[in-house]
Amino acid sequence: MATTSGNSTIIVTAKGAANAHFDLLVDGKKIGEGTTDATAKDFVFKTDVVENQGHKIQVQYDNDGIVNGTDRNLFVDGISINGKSISSTADNVSYDKGALDGHDVVDGRAGLWWNGTLVFDADKSHFPGDVAANPTTPTPTQPAPGEGAAPTEPTPSVPKPTGPGFYVATNGNDSWSGKLAAPNAEGTDGPFASLQKAQTAMRADPNIDTTYIRGGDYHQNGLWLDGQDSGVHFVGYGSEKAVIHGGSNASVSFGLGGAKNVTIEGLTFADGVVGGHYVFADNAAGLTFANNVVKGGGYGITVQNSADSKVVGNQFDSTGAESIFVKAGSNATLVSDNLIKHPNAADRGDAGIWINGSSDVQVTHNQIEGSPEKAIAVGSVQTDGSDATHRVTVAFNKVIDANLESNDGGGIYLINRQQDLTDHVVVNNDVSGTTATNPSGDVASWGIYLDDWTSGATVKGNIVHGNIGGVFLHGGWDNTVTENVIADNSGAQIGLQQPVAWSGWKGHQMSGNDISGNVVDVRDGTAVHIYGPADVGNLHDNFYSNLNASQDMFDVWPQVMAGGGKGDLAEWKAAGYDKGSVILDPGFVNPGAHDYSLASDSPVYGQGFDHIPTHDIGLLG
């Protein structure tokens, strides 16, 4: 960390995963930098600034990415200026996502999940002429790990506009200039009445690319954007609630065909048709859909052939089909910090978030509740590789109650009918309550389900608890399942199955799967189920708890254990499985309350188990 001497002291309290880095700027001028680790600490900077005058203090995060399967993020609790603290969520703080250019600006927040700048607009009281010699250290505003309350559901909003723009309002008129936020006193000028008129105006004026939509209800036909509309922004006006209603004449509320780098932010979408899309984007690279509320209708947002898109900070409730559908060439898309409740309310199928035919996608920090089938689904369903999907990261998501109306699915579900190595990463998620329509019947319902030849995937650091089944591998090869907590699932905690028959078609031999270093708690259900050749998976060095060593907790077919198809731990080990595995008490924090996080003194840490950052799982807001 580099600092300078000076008459003011600025303290940044921050932490971050995978060496998150930031620069500290004052009024746009860099005065120092810092590199964080997983523990919040104070970074102290001294600089000369003009006294008795306000200044902008800017924490600029600049190295977002995925590092060895870990989603790198920066968390800023707040700052202190000459002893006066400012929380990252205070009214005078904003977050300028991407470049520091005044675009894509939202309210301040502690969690920065992509590159951007947290701007603290500090008034002159923070820079008095008689600065105290020993400023106090700010008190962190976020709870300590493990102490956080359940995430709230804030109403997404964006700051009121500060730059040039057109305005749309329910009391507007399409014959006016659209450059006033409200009608003038004479009633001769003011905002537009329709989004279509604002679109036409932005096409005609090269200096204005933003339309602000004031609060109220808008009933109009869908808006279609093409290449002429690249770079435009449709943004809600501050905390005012602008509701875009769908209807029988508008199967798409916002359609993008060839319009790139479009932003849709701070709006509410409602009353869409079941078979429609609130947002349908094709050939629309760089789309940002952020901080919106989406209710009912059909698909929430569908992006195809639209690389580098961002779907972040939204709330979806009871969408008729998938809330978020990323398909067909939308590579490097980010899906993060979305709250999704009761997706697929009409079609009752597929997933809340569905990634298909797109690679290098990041699905991070979402919370999905009450899915009829899968909560998060990733992969290819075509056997010819036409929808091949590679290198998707599913990290820090919270999945609650999936597969409510299906007997075959999972909370986090991967599929790979293209039959190659996917390099997918499933890390640091919490999955619970994955069930089935008929839980006591013949079901395939798992918290994390690697289906139909999913191969070359890494499943690490997840907490999979209270589901029917824990983690399941179906026909794949060269997968790694390691350092997960798999607990209290009513069926098998771990399952592997070689036979995959789909339309009479069979594929690659299952082999090379490594399952090690996991905490496997068998207070309910059984430990391991294998159906296939004995070498479908190499289980070793796992930590078993609540395992009755004298009961038949392991089953494998064909029969390889001395007692037949089922056996106890000794028979299981004698058959060549779980070399180096032990029985121990892993030290769960509160299993009676279904909290299967590990206490700081868990014995597994001394045996190489990595800490699972449970306080970072779920929504960032």
Side-chain angles (χ1 to χ4, degrees), residues 143-235:
E147 296 177 355
T152 59
E153 297 178 27
T155 300
S157 64
V158 296
K160 290 185 177 180
T162 57
F166 290 112
Y167 299 85
V168 173
T170 55
N171 61 350
N173 189 315
D174 281 350
S175 66
W176 290 342
S177 72
K179 293 184 178 180
L180 301 179
N184 61 16
E186 296 79 16
T188 59
D189 197 10
F192 294 135
S194 71
L195 302 181
Q196 286 81 0
K197 180 61 178 179
Q199 176 189 29
T200 300
M202 286 191 292
R203 287 177 173 180
D205 189 334
N207 298 313
I208 298 180
D209 61 8
T210 302
T211 290
Y212 299 98
I213 306 171
R214 302 213 57 176
D217 295 289
Y218 296 87
H219 299 266
Q220 47 197 357
N221 291 331
L223 186 69
W224 286 89
L225 311 179
D226 60 26
Q228 302 175 77
D229 302 302
S230 291
V232 303
H233 303 69
F234 287 92
V235 182

Side-chain angles (χ1 to χ4, degrees), residues 309-448:
S309 295
K310 297 176 178 64
V311 183
V312 295
N314 305 286
Q315 296 174 20
F316 298 86
D317 190 358
S318 300
T319 54
E322 286 87 344
S323 293
I324 302 171
F325 194 2
V326 178
K327 60 185 293 190
S330 296
N331 299 333
T333 287
L334 173 67
V335 178
S336 185
D337 198 30
N338 299 285
L339 174 61
I340 299 173
K341 292 186 173 183
H342 314 297
N344 306 100
D347 71 9
R348 325 305 293 176
D350 293 321
I353 299 172
W354 181 206
I355 312 299
N356 169 248
S358 299
S359 297
D360 301 299
V361 175
Q362 298 181 43
V363 181
T364 63
H365 292 291
N366 304 284
Q367 180 164 313
I368 306 97
E369 305 174 12
S371 300
E373 288 198 8
K374 303 100 175 167
I376 300 171
V378 174
S380 68
V381 297
Q382 303 300 325
T383 59
D384 60 5
S386 59
D387 63 345
T389 306
H390 297 96
R391 298 177 303 279
V392 173
T393 296
V394 181
F396 296 101
N397 301 285
K398 191 174 185 66
V399 173
I400 303 169
D401 298 341
N403 218 36
L404 297 173
E405 299 183 27
S406 172
N407 288 323
D408 187 355
I412 297 175
Y413 177 87
L414 277 58
I415 187 169
N416 182 41
R417 288 181 181 157
Q418 69 205 41
Q419 289 202 62
D420 63 3
L421 296 177
T422 64
D423 295 317
H424 297 325
V425 175
V426 180
V427 59
N428 296 147
N429 302 280
D430 186 297
V431 185
S432 65
T434 308
T435 182
T437 305
N438 180 19
S440 61
D442 185 13
V443 301
S445 179
W446 300 84
I448 298 178

Side-chain angles (χ1 to χ4, degrees), residues 17 21 36 45 60 80 112 126 133 141 155 201 217 222-224 231 318 336 340 383 408 438 468-469 498 546 560 612:
H21 176 270
T36 63
F45 305 84
Q60 192 166 73
S80 171
L112 310 188
H126 294 80
T141 58
T155 300
D217 295 289
L223 186 69
W224 286 89
S318 300
S336 185
I340 299 173
T383 59
D408 187 355
N438 180 19
I468 289 182
Q498 164 64 56
N546 284 295
V560 296
I612 298 175

